[in-house]
Amino acid sequence: ARMEALCARLSQKSKEDHAAKVAEDERTTERWSGLRILDRCVRQEKWDASMRGKDLVPLRHLGGLLRKEKDKVVIAVLASVAAGQQQGKLCCEWKLTDLDLDIPAEATLMLLDRAREHWSLQEVKAGDIFAVLNPQLACRSGSMIATFETQLIKLAAAPLSGVAKPWMRDGLAHDLVTARAAACVPSTASEATARPESAGRPSGSAGGLLA
């Protein structure tokens, strides 16, 4: 009888340990991308509802953005912020990575117009995890474009300690990356207000990811 009781206790403890591990994995993993996370910014249930019916496009396969049948979402980790130009327009260039342990994929997200104006006033850092709704595939290889601030949402932060970071080569990443770099802020007040209010939004971005 004592042996049966001991076996029952061990079995119960094993079940409890397994349930605890499942709960911890759920708490520390972004379910759609598989990225490990800290400081979740969006409740998992709300994010699951927002992703329903959307097509997740891996960072290393951006050609999937050309498929037309569903809204597209790219989820990636911010590596750095810099100034750039796209077709003569000022833009913020965000270097993104998927933190793959073997061969990390990298891509550039170019923020134009309202996206640049909004996100250049936000403080972001290397390791922040972002979702991007319906970015446009750019002519430059491995690059995409977002023009509306509602196309981006910060999901969480990625725990970077102990992670191999070959994507930090060439100075792509820093301990703290701030989008308030002077080159990324609108150069004049008139430029910030010059956008046409009637400009159409890309499909699916009108209400943002959490609409």
Side-chain angles (χ1 to χ4, degrees):
R2 283 183 294 186
M3 181 60 71
E4 289 180 0
L6 176 61
C7 289
R9 287 198 299 272
L10 290 175
S11 177
Q12 181 62 28
K13 186 177 186 308
S14 177
K15 291 178 181 178
E16 291 172 354
D17 289 346
H18 176 72
K21 183 179 184 306
V22 169
E24 179 65 11
D25 286 345
E26 179 75 11
R27 186 183 68 81
T28 59
T29 304
E30 199 292 301
R31 182 180 298 162
W32 294 86
S33 63
L35 289 165
R36 304 295 288 180
I37 61 173
L38 295 172
D39 304 322
R40 188 188 296 273
C41 300
V42 181
R43 286 187 299 105
Q44 185 65 59
E45 298 80 6
K46 187 173 184 179
W47 182 235
D48 287 344
S50 299
M51 284 294 294
R52 192 170 298 125
K54 294 182 176 64
D55 187 6
L56 183 66
V57 178
L59 201 63
R60 66 180 64 252
H61 298 299
L62 293 181
L65 294 173
L66 297 175
R67 296 193 298 269
K68 301 293 185 183
E69 62 274 12
K70 293 181 181 179
D71 284 335
K72 307 295 185 294
V73 177
V74 176
I75 299 176
V77 180
L78 179 64
S80 74
V81 171
Q85 284 199 348
Q86 168 68 11
Q87 295 182 344
K89 285 184 172 183
L90 288 176
C91 70
C92 279
E93 292 193 356
W94 286 15
K95 296 293 185 182
L96 304 176
T97 177
D98 62 3
L99 285 184
D100 185 272
L101 293 178
D102 296 322
I103 306 176
E106 297 174 4
T108 299
L109 176 64
M110 293 180 281
L111 306 184
L112 298 173
D113 302 332
R114 289 173 57 157
R116 179 177 71 91
E117 292 166 16
H118 174 81
W119 287 101
S120 37
L121 298 177
Q122 311 302 313
E123 188 174 277
V124 296
K125 65 181 183 298
D128 285 348
I129 300 174
F130 280 86
V132 190
L133 174 64
N134 289 334
Q136 176 187 346
L137 197 61
C139 294
R140 188 197 308 174
S141 177
S143 298
M144 48 190 170
I145 298 170
T147 55
F148 290 95
E149 71 278 14
T150 52
Q151 288 180 260
L152 288 86
I153 184 169
K154 181 180 173 181
L155 299 177
L160 299 182
S161 59
V163 175
K165 294 183 277 295
W167 48 272
M168 293 183 74
R169 65 181 182 273
D170 302 326
L172 287 185
H174 313 279
D175 291 336
L176 179 67
V177 178
T178 300
R180 289 179 182 270
C184 284
V185 175
S187 55
T188 65
S190 60
E191 179 190 345
T193 57
R195 66 178 182 271
E197 292 300 326
S198 60
R201 294 172 182 262
S203 173
S205 69
L209 279 163
L210 296 181

